Amino acid sequence: MVSAQLVGGEWWNLHVLTAVMYNPFSSLAGLAWVLVSVGVSAALIYAVNLRLTLRRGGLDDVTRRRVARVLAFCTAPYLFLLPTAWFF
């Protein structure tokens, strides 16, 4: 008899981990995982830029938020979406 944890682990390996490593577009769960990771990374980049990097720049609050937003958008790790299966 196969335990539920083993079956869930096999599903996770097949649909999420394999999709994240080779082609995020091969599975909806893998694509969702990668998109959430890119979004969380962008949010952390925004927070670090807003609170640490741009703190002493002499910018007003609106400009500082705008610059932090642009930096977060431009430096988010979009390469996670690139299918590495193309290179094998």
Side-chain angles (χ1 to χ4, degrees):
M1 182 168 176
V2 178
S3 70
Q5 184 179 11
L6 181 62
V7 173
E10 289 175 5
W11 182 89
W12 182 263
N13 286 338
L14 181 64
H15 293 289
V16 178
L17 293 181
T18 305
V20 168
M21 288 186 291
Y22 295 114
N23 185 3
F25 301 105
S26 66
S27 168
L28 187 60
L31 180 62
W33 185 267
V34 171
L35 287 175
V36 166
S37 299
V38 169
V40 167
S41 298
L44 289 173
I45 290 169
Y46 172 77
V48 168
N49 281 326
L50 185 65
R51 293 199 174 103
L52 296 177
T53 308
L54 300 172
R55 183 176 52 192
R56 295 187 215 164
L59 302 172
D60 62 350
D61 207 30
V62 174
T63 306
R64 191 173 65 149
R65 289 182 188 277
R66 187 175 294 147
V67 169
R69 198 176 314 127
V70 168
L71 284 172
F73 179 76
C74 291
T75 60
Y78 298 114
L79 287 177
F80 288 164
L81 294 169
L82 184 69
T84 57
W86 291 352
F87 304 109
F88 294 109

